Amino acid sequence: MPTRPCSFRFLSCLLASALLALTLAPSAAARDAPGDLLSAAPYRAPWVPSRAAQAYKLHYRTPDHRGQLAEGTGLLYLPAGAAPAGGWPVVSWAHGTQGIADRCAPSVSGPTHAERDGRFLDVFLAQGYAVAAADYQGLGSPGNHAYLHVRTAARNAIDMVKASRQYLGTATLSPRWVSVGYSQGGAAALTAGHLAASHGGPSLQYRGSFTAGTPTAVELTALVMNPGNRTANPGAPNAYHAYLLDGLLQVAPQIDRVLSDAGRARVAVAREQCLSELTATLDGADTGSMFTAPLTSVPGIWAVLYDYLGVPRRGFSQPLMLAHGSEDRDVPYLTTLLYAAGLAVRGEPVAFRRYPVDHRGTLDAAAADGLAFVRARLEDGHFDEATETAGLEQLLDDVR
């Protein structure tokens, strides 16, 4: 039956329109909330972990480094079999450095060290945990990836868990989750745990964080970013520096005034090359040639660095375990040990594990401890803070 135009029944139409707007408002708002699913599809690639019975690529809403709601991507891996009652618990996986170009995203070209990362994730899939692996916003999605901007990557990881549950349903994925990360992702996973309550909301139940090779004092890198530092470096640190400068330029463009032409050219190359390529390209280069004046001479730079890179130092609601290789030259072992010790002194629920390996070897070395920690947290195991703190004190004695 045809309806009359609103001009004939103005008040009735106005009331009906208002009621319709009220009815639609929650769903409209939901489409623009962090963690809202935009699309999902089955995913196949040679780097999918062998224990993943199903894999999906998700597009979802998540903040960028300016706090604006943007689009992120990620991969969701499911274990074999039917979901248990209450759903599979979730491991939120935060990956290590890949690069900053879209093609470097794990969902586009795979992990930098696909076999190693696959082995590590298989440990959790074999135990019956789903794995939600965010790419990080701007990496394989619209916008620019702000490398090592810890709060952004942390929120991306949390929102990936929310989008995964929205896609599969709460009967398939449990609200219980932990954050697990390596290298760049270690700082993200640590910060995700700190933001879990405020950003994750009441629909998720955060249980703890396990991180490996975690950078906790990257802001100190500014001390070596000066024209007098002409020591030749291995390629990896040079790549990290170039990626970091690209991110810092996004939040503090004034940094450009202390970059040399060579420094700008190096950042331009970093925007195109993924980690393995850039490591080879920059092997043997020095840091100093990138600068005409020390980075520390930029007014307000320390505030920028701490805001951009700073990991939380108090206020964790759930247990943490930090794993690190004593031979790590990419992320100095001592800085993370001292960070963990500082947490312990402030009464935070932290454990620390040391392994006689370098940065790349940490994931394999830490896998068993990581699984034990995650099982305890997701299956209501006990965390003995007194024992863990005593172990940390012993490590500090060894350093002394």
Side-chain angles (χ1 to χ4, degrees):
M1 180 175 180
T3 58
R4 294 185 179 182
C6 259
S7 57
F8 291 102
R9 300 179 62 185
F10 177 75
L11 291 178
S12 297
C13 288
L14 185 62
L15 178 60
S17 298
L19 289 173
L20 181 62
L22 288 173
T23 302
L24 294 178
S27 60
R31 288 196 296 271
D32 286 321
D36 274 350
L37 183 69
L38 297 174
S39 67
Y43 180 86
R44 292 179 178 84
W47 49 80
V48 170
S50 64
R51 293 292 190 129
Q54 300 175 68
Y56 303 93
K57 183 170 182 177
L58 275 57
H59 294 248
Y60 61 100
R61 293 293 188 201
T62 194
D64 63 16
H65 63 281
R66 295 182 175 86
Q68 302 298 312
L69 204 57
E71 179 184 335
T73 56
L75 298 176
L76 172 62
Y77 301 128
L78 300 183
W88 284 301
V90 181
V91 170
S92 172
W93 165 243
H95 64 78
T97 301
Q98 296 274 140
I100 57 178
D102 282 340
R103 68 184 184 89
C104 306
S107 70
V108 176
S109 58
T112 300
H113 303 292
E115 291 187 9
R116 181 203 61 189
D117 287 15
R119 284 194 302 272
F120 185 74
L121 296 182
D122 274 339
V123 167
F124 302 104
L125 289 162
Q127 187 62 34
Y129 304 138
V131 174
D135 283 330
Y136 308 143
Q137 201 287 316
L139 191 59
S141 54
N144 296 319
H145 173 53
Y147 176 69
L148 280 177
H149 194 272
V150 292
R151 293 189 309 281
T152 298
R155 292 179 177 122
N156 302 156
I158 296 170
D159 291 337
M160 179 66 187
V161 177
K162 291 192 282 187
S164 297
R165 297 189 75 230
Q166 191 178 116
Y167 177 50
L168 293 181
T170 56
T172 302
L173 293 186
S174 168
R176 288 177 291 132
W177 71 286
V178 294
S179 59
V180 175
Y182 164 71
S183 194
Q184 176 188 6
L190 195 68
T191 307
H194 194 262
L195 296 176
S198 60
H199 191 76
S203 65
L204 297 182
Q205 299 172 13
Y206 164 70
R207 295 297 182 85
S209 297
F210 177 84
T211 72
T214 310
T216 57
V218 185
E219 56 271 19
L220 298 181
T221 302
L223 297 175
V224 302
M225 290 186 168
N226 66 77
N229 183 10
R230 296 297 177 138
T231 303
N233 297 320
N238 289 326
Y240 303 148
H241 292 170
Y243 291 146
L244 176 56
L245 282 170
D246 176 76
L248 291 173
L249 284 165
Q250 294 179 52
V251 299
Q254 66 271 26
I255 288 172
D256 181 74
R257 71 181 182 87
V258 299
L259 290 183
S260 66
D261 289 341
R264 295 185 189 98
R266 192 177 298 183
V267 171
V269 172
R271 291 170 181 156
E272 301 295 330
Q273 294 189 353
C274 302
L275 181 61
S276 296
E277 302 167 87
L278 192 61
T279 296
T281 297
L282 299 182
D283 190 45
D286 64 73
T287 301
S289 60
M290 298 180 73
F291 297 90
T292 59
L295 182 61
T296 54
S297 68
V298 177
I301 188 60
W302 287 111
V304 170
L305 291 170
Y306 282 114
D307 179 70
Y308 186 102
L309 299 162
V311 292
R313 298 184 180 274
R314 64 178 72 246
F316 289 93
S317 63
Q318 296 292 330
L320 317 170
M321 180 178 284
L322 279 69
H324 217 94
S326 58
E327 305 306 309
D328 195 329
R329 298 295 179 266
D330 293 28
V331 180
Y333 167 76
L334 185 58
T335 60
T336 305
L337 173 60
L338 293 175
Y339 169 77
L343 291 178
V345 167
R346 289 186 287 274
E348 301 292 335
V350 62
F352 188 87
R353 293 289 184 270
R354 177 186 64 189
Y355 311 93
V357 296
D358 62 10
H359 190 65
R360 285 182 59 177
T362 307
L363 270 188
D364 283 329
D369 284 332
L371 177 61
F373 176 86
V374 167
R375 287 180 64 183
R377 299 312 306 149
L378 291 178
E379 299 171 18
D380 297 316
H382 181 63
F383 180 81
D384 188 343
E385 293 183 41
T387 300
E388 298 297 353
T389 302
L392 187 56
E393 290 173 349
Q394 180 60 55
L395 286 171
L396 283 171
D397 287 341
D398 291 348
V399 172
R400 297 188 193 105

